[in-house]
Amino acid sequence: MAGPRLISSVLALATVTSMAACSATGSSPAGGEQRVSGVAGGGGAAPGTDAGPVALTPEAYRNELDGLHEKMAGAIRELSRARGLKALDQRVTKAEQTLNDAVDALDAVTPPEAVRAHHEAYVAGLRDFAGELGAAAGRVAARDLCTSSAVLTDLGEQLATLDEAGEELESAGDYPADIVSVKAADRQTRRLRNGAFVRSGTLDGRGSLEINNGGSRDAVVTVLRGRSKAFSVYVRKKTKFKVSGVRDGSYRIFFTHGVDWDGKTRVFTRDCSFERFERSVAYKTTYTASQIRWHDWRITLHAVTGGNARTSPVDPDDFPS
């Protein structure tokens, strides 16, 4: 005669306990008694196992990337177009935050198995680039980096790695991951010849301005008459230059020091500073029956003992370029 039917998980467990008890006392199960193994209920998964996160379908993964693509590409593009140190500082910080947000979002994503390695390389590239952007923001604040081109050049290695990772992920399944639309130029140290005019005005007066740049960086001196730029002249480090033909009038003198002169934007791209002389200089030609008198001024762009002309910093965005 068949043994009793098991009608509930409680009874099944009770039977197992009974069998275990018999084994412990050395007796054998009664003939015809059902042996029970496993656990009733439970849906088929082994106890204590975790199936893990479910990978996204290619379409769902593409949608995740698409939602981040334009934000990241736009932040890098806007960084490359920054003009002025204030805008550059803001856009470097914004790009850093945008990429860090993307890293957080993509860290929470399980990509299709076929592109897992590409996904991980892409996220690593985003993380490295965002980290370097944070460091670059500090260098912009210290004016070690003064233009967007200098920032991109400084981050050239990370930018190239991110670009490659994005292209590989994109080609692996037509995923929108290629966010780098700018190229970093090679590091340069461009200079003008000593005495080259960055901006030339009318110089047909009798006065002169002798400029002594004894510092360790090249300089550009910009001279204003009222609100108009009279002239700007490039003076290399450890050299002098004399501007002749200065017309009568009252002039304010500004100067910027730096490394690597960008002739297109008319700024130094690295190690930049911006100052002005606090005193204006006046030129006046006086005619008498027997004499003509005029003024010749000399300025020094580095600190000297006994100097009597004070200088003060200028906000870069207020500097007359």
Side-chain angles (χ1 to χ4, degrees):
M1 181 175 178
R5 280 181 69 189
L6 302 180
I7 60 174
S8 73
S9 60
V10 174
L11 181 57
L13 292 173
T15 304
V16 172
T17 302
S18 174
M19 291 172 62
C22 292
S23 175
T25 58
S27 58
S28 301
E33 205 173 28
Q34 280 192 335
R35 297 178 180 272
V36 179
S37 62
V39 179
T49 62
D50 185 358
V54 177
L56 296 179
T57 65
E59 182 179 2
Y61 181 58
R62 189 174 295 110
N63 288 338
E64 288 287 341
L65 287 171
D66 194 45
L68 300 170
H69 180 270
E70 184 52 37
K71 291 180 180 178
M72 292 190 290
I76 295 174
R77 189 167 55 247
E78 288 302 306
L79 165 59
S80 72
R81 296 173 179 172
R83 296 292 178 267
L85 275 168
K86 187 178 295 184
L88 179 61
D89 184 43
Q90 293 171 346
R91 294 184 189 187
V92 168
T93 301
K94 180 180 178 181
E96 177 197 7
Q97 185 60 58
T98 300
L99 267 68
N100 274 324
D101 289 346
V103 168
D104 291 342
L106 291 174
D107 266 342
V109 165
T110 302
E113 187 60 35
V115 296
R116 182 183 294 273
H118 295 303
H119 170 86
E120 291 174 354
Y122 183 57
V123 174
L126 289 173
R127 183 179 289 109
D128 288 347
F129 188 62
E132 287 301 319
L133 278 171
R139 293 193 286 274
V140 170
R143 295 178 186 167
D144 297 330
L145 302 174
C146 308
T147 64
S148 59
S149 62
V151 170
L152 294 175
T153 295
D154 197 57
L155 302 179
E157 183 178 344
Q158 290 78 16
L159 193 67
T161 299
L162 176 58
D163 192 25
E164 181 180 355
E167 288 177 351
E168 290 184 356
L169 179 55
E170 187 169 74
S171 63
D174 193 27
Y175 295 115
D178 186 7
I179 62 171
V180 180
S181 60
V182 298
K183 300 297 181 185
D186 294 335
R187 187 180 176 90
Q188 303 177 76
T189 304
R190 293 163 289 182
R191 306 172 77 190
L192 299 181
R193 62 175 175 80
N194 190 54
F197 281 95
V198 176
R199 184 187 298 274
S200 59
T202 302
L203 295 170
D204 58 2
R206 292 185 177 272
S208 67
L209 178 66
E210 183 179 292
I211 303 162
N212 181 356
N213 179 17
S216 60
R217 295 168 294 161
D218 290 358
V220 170
V221 177
T222 298
V223 178
L224 271 62
R225 182 183 182 188
R227 295 188 178 184
S228 301
K229 300 178 184 69
F231 59 86
S232 296
V233 63
Y234 195 99
V235 185
R236 288 192 171 196
K237 62 183 180 180
K238 308 297 183 184
T239 63
K240 300 177 181 180
F241 184 74
K242 185 176 182 178
V243 179
S244 300
V246 180
R247 290 177 158 188
D248 288 358
S250 180
Y251 295 86
R252 291 178 295 154
I253 301 174
F254 296 76
F255 59 98
T256 175
H257 280 107
V259 175
D260 184 40
W261 179 256
D262 184 341
K264 183 177 180 180
T265 57
R266 296 182 178 180
V267 292
F268 289 107
T269 70
R270 302 191 303 274
D271 296 334
C272 58
S273 62
F274 304 85
E275 298 178 73
R276 67 176 179 87
F277 284 92
E278 294 182 356
R279 281 181 55 194
S280 298
V281 296
Y283 287 83
K284 184 178 181 180
T285 303
T286 304
Y287 297 87
T288 68
S290 59
Q291 293 179 328
I292 302 176
R293 295 182 179 180
W294 62 87
H295 291 91
D296 293 321
W297 287 91
R298 293 188 299 274
I299 59 172
T300 301
L301 304 184
H302 57 283
V304 294
T305 302
N308 60 1
R310 295 171 62 92
T311 63
S312 57
V314 176
D315 187 320
D317 288 346
D318 294 333
F319 191 86
S321 59

